[in-house]
Amino acid sequence: MILDEFDEERFKKNMREEGYEDGIVDGKIQKAIEAAENLLRLNLLSVEQIAQVQGIPIEQVLKIKEELLRTESAVK
């Protein structure tokens, strides 16, 4: 059996690239959630429309809506 020589520099470079890509995905998800919160506050679109426009599950939008309602009722 022949083992490939471990290339530490290539390994580190791949790990950085994967981390960078993960960060981009996480940032896009966070931006969609923030936009959904703002759209819910404006109360111009339905939960289904917000989910469709932002590309996130309806369940996620419902969860955000519940959190907003809880937060707003606690402030009053």
Side-chain angles (χ1 to χ4, degrees):
M1 177 185 282
I2 299 174
L3 295 176
D4 290 331
E5 185 177 314
F6 179 70
D7 185 346
E8 185 176 355
E9 288 300 315
R10 191 169 86 194
F11 175 76
K12 287 180 180 179
K13 180 181 179 209
N14 287 341
M15 293 303 290
R16 281 192 302 269
E17 288 173 357
E18 287 178 21
Y20 178 76
E21 291 170 5
D22 289 344
I24 290 174
V25 170
D26 291 344
K28 287 181 179 181
I29 292 169
Q30 185 60 38
K31 197 68 171 167
I33 290 170
E34 290 172 6
E37 288 177 4
N38 291 332
L39 290 168
L40 285 166
R41 283 187 182 105
L42 291 173
N43 201 27
L44 297 175
L45 300 174
S46 69
V47 169
E48 293 81 9
Q49 290 170 320
I50 293 170
Q52 183 178 13
V53 169
Q54 293 306 315
I56 57 178
I58 291 173
E59 295 79 17
Q60 180 72 34
V61 179
L62 289 170
K63 183 178 173 184
I64 295 167
K65 184 175 182 176
E66 288 174 13
E67 289 176 17
L68 286 173
L69 291 172
R70 240 191 328 259
T71 307
E72 290 174 1
S73 66
V75 172
K76 291 180 180 180

